[in-house]
Amino acid sequence: MYVGALTLDILLGDVRSLKQKRSVVRPLIAELQRRYPSIAVAETGHLDLHRRAEVGLAVVSSSAGNCNEVMDACERMVAFRPEIELLSARHRLYNDED
């Protein structure tokens, strides 16, 4: 069993309040969950900043390759959103021996 964890640090475009931030981050999380129903995803950091967000997601699979494919696809989907600038992405892969 493999567990993949992906942490995305993103900079939001023209956002001036936490309410506007929610209007960008919530649809992003919903789109990730819709496209990849096997992942768990949530806003995990920078909760009090209105132009920054950290989104974390996890995927469980029987193969390391599948975990990496799903995490790469999620990263690409976020990176290609025009209203978001992806600052960093951190991939971690755990297996049952860790």
Side-chain angles (χ1 to χ4, degrees):
M1 176 177 76
Y2 292 89
V3 177
L6 175 63
T7 304
L8 302 168
D9 188 12
I10 58 178
L11 179 66
L12 305 173
D14 188 26
V15 172
R16 293 192 172 92
S17 69
L18 292 175
K19 186 175 182 179
Q20 285 180 324
K21 175 185 178 178
R22 281 193 308 274
S23 73
V24 174
V25 174
R26 280 187 181 169
L28 172 67
I29 290 172
E31 178 70 13
L32 284 166
Q33 287 175 329
R34 187 185 65 76
R35 282 197 188 179
Y36 307 100
S38 63
I39 67 169
V41 60
E43 184 178 4
T44 57
H46 306 303
L47 300 175
D48 56 344
L49 301 175
H50 64 275
R51 290 209 59 221
R52 293 278 299 273
E54 181 183 271
V55 175
L57 65 89
V59 59
V60 177
S61 179
S62 61
S63 72
N66 186 46
C67 278
N68 285 323
E69 285 177 23
V70 172
M71 289 189 296
D72 288 342
C74 290
E75 181 182 346
R76 280 192 304 273
M77 192 195 98
V78 171
F80 289 129
R81 300 277 298 234
E83 72 275 11
I84 293 173
E85 180 181 345
L86 182 60
L87 299 175
S88 69
R90 187 170 70 175
H91 294 247
R92 284 162 290 173
L93 190 62
Y94 305 98
N95 61 19
D96 53 0
E97 296 170 4
D98 288 344

